[in-house]
Amino acid sequence: MTEDAIIVGGGFAGLSAAMQLARARRRVTVLDTGLPRNRFAAHAHGFLAQDGRPGLDILADARRQLAAYGTVTFRDTEAERLDGDIDAFSVLTGDGERIAARRVLLATGFEDRLPDVAGLAERWGKTVLHCPYCHGYEVGGGPMGVLARTADAARFATIVSDWGGVTLFTNGTAEPEEEALALLERRNVTLRPGRVTAIADGPDGMLSVETGPGIPTLVRALFVMPEARVRSAIPDDRALARKETPIGPIIKTDETGQTSLPGLYAAGDIAIGAGNISFASADGVKAGVMLHHSLIVAAN
Ligand SMILES: Cc1cc2nc3c(=O)[nH]c(=O)nc-3n(C[C@H](O)[C@H](O)[C@H](O)COP(=O)(O)OP(=O)(O)OC[C@H]3O[C@@H](n4cnc5c(N)ncnc54)[C@H](O)[C@@H]3O)c2cc1C
């Protein structure tokens, strides 16, 4: 049996797309390895009507609701390879199964590559954070830190400074340019040059950010914009067009969510380069609807 669509990735974008297709009574298989990007954080914030719930609980609810639609199948396995073309795609799963589909949607999310600083990775999603809109409110104000990875960190620091006092750790990146420096000054952002050598626990639940032996700066949280990689070999295998962003290349899509390979769609973080459940969900809805339209148009 050929599916109308295979969705690779059952995170916020993938399940949002699946919902639109399920409600159009289309046959959909969702392949999912169950590792959404925000799994390191105990709670997800800023998603309307779900504020403060664990991200995995939100996804489990979505799955339960989708399972009630008789045309949706879930497989807890990886999509290893995509063969074929529009109307005749086939996906090889990690279980060795081949599933045929007319359309495919990639919604695999990102894998974050954190800067190589001792003590950083184990605090990811807890006191080392990616986004002030998601977690800044809970931090409760300054002092906070921003760890630079590229020159874009200056802009990021000016935004984070709206939540409280910020120190920008340049960590070996180039000094911000004149205009950025002036804005940082207006926002009262302190610049701390030098490499960050380690992150450790400080007193009273603070983080100690070390830029040399015996030079700690105490902050309540450290924000970092990590390099993000698309979590699938399929875009490389199928030579999909990319678009450069400050966090790394994302998959280029047209206004319908279709990639450079006809019939293959992409949605969520990997297509918009953002890090926000609401953006990813909205993008998944759009791709699901447009993918559905393409099935109808192709049939006439
Ligand atoms: C630490 C942290 C905390 C965050 N907190 C918040 C928050 O509070 N609020 C907020 O709005 N945003 C938050 N975000 C951002 C949010 O996690 C992402 O924007 C959102 O998860 C993107 O949704 P997505 O569907 O694109 O990808 P994901 O949610 O990452 O889902 C992708 C899914 O695809 C699966 N997958 C990957 N490759 C394959 C494959 N080859 N085959 C099958 N399955 C595959 C993965 O296992 C995963 O289940 C946070 C991010 C981080 C890093």
Side-chain angles (χ1 to χ4, degrees), residues 104-105 251-259 264-267 271 283 286-287 290:
V104 174
L105 170 68
I251 298 175
K252 193 171 175 187
T253 55
D254 65 15
E255 64 284 358
T256 70
Q258 190 168 222
T259 69
L264 176 63
Y265 290 73
D283 200 47
K286 181 191 79 178
M290 298 317 286

Side-chain angles (χ1 to χ4, degrees), residues 141-222:
M144 295 174 289
V146 168
L147 178 63
R149 191 182 57 80
T150 66
D152 290 302
R155 187 169 180 280
F156 189 41
T158 61
I159 291 165
V160 176
S161 73
D162 211 42
W163 277 262
V166 166
T167 298
L168 171 60
F169 298 92
T170 55
N171 196 28
T173 60
E175 276 267 308
E177 292 188 356
E178 209 174 302
E179 202 180 321
L181 268 180
L183 184 55
L184 288 169
E185 208 175 298
R186 283 206 301 281
R187 298 291 309 172
N188 294 319
V189 174
T190 307
L191 232 64
R192 182 65 38 100
R195 287 249 169 225
V196 172
T197 49
I199 314 289
D201 289 335
D204 302 325
M206 303 283 272
L207 277 187
S208 167
V209 183
E210 287 160 27
T211 40
I215 322 177
T217 304
L218 295 180
V219 295
R220 296 170 78 153
L222 183 66

Side-chain angles (χ1 to χ4, degrees), residues 272-287:
I272 50 182
N276 180 296
I277 293 171
S278 311
F279 285 144
S281 301
D283 200 47
V285 169
K286 181 191 79 178

Side-chain angles (χ1 to χ4, degrees), residues 8-14 31-38 40-41 43-45 77-79 107-110 112 124-125 130 134-135 231-232 267-269 274-278 280:
V8 179
F12 298 94
L31 304 174
D32 187 34
T33 47
L35 299 169
R37 188 181 178 196
N38 62 340
F40 302 95
H43 301 99
H45 291 281
T77 183
E78 189 181 357
T108 61
F110 280 139
D112 290 299
W124 182 232
H130 83 301
C134 300
H135 303 289
R231 262 191 306 189
S232 170
D269 279 4
N276 180 296
I277 293 171
S278 311

Side-chain angles (χ1 to χ4, degrees), residues 46-51 278:
F47 189 26
L48 200 63
Q50 305 291 330
D51 191 35
S278 311

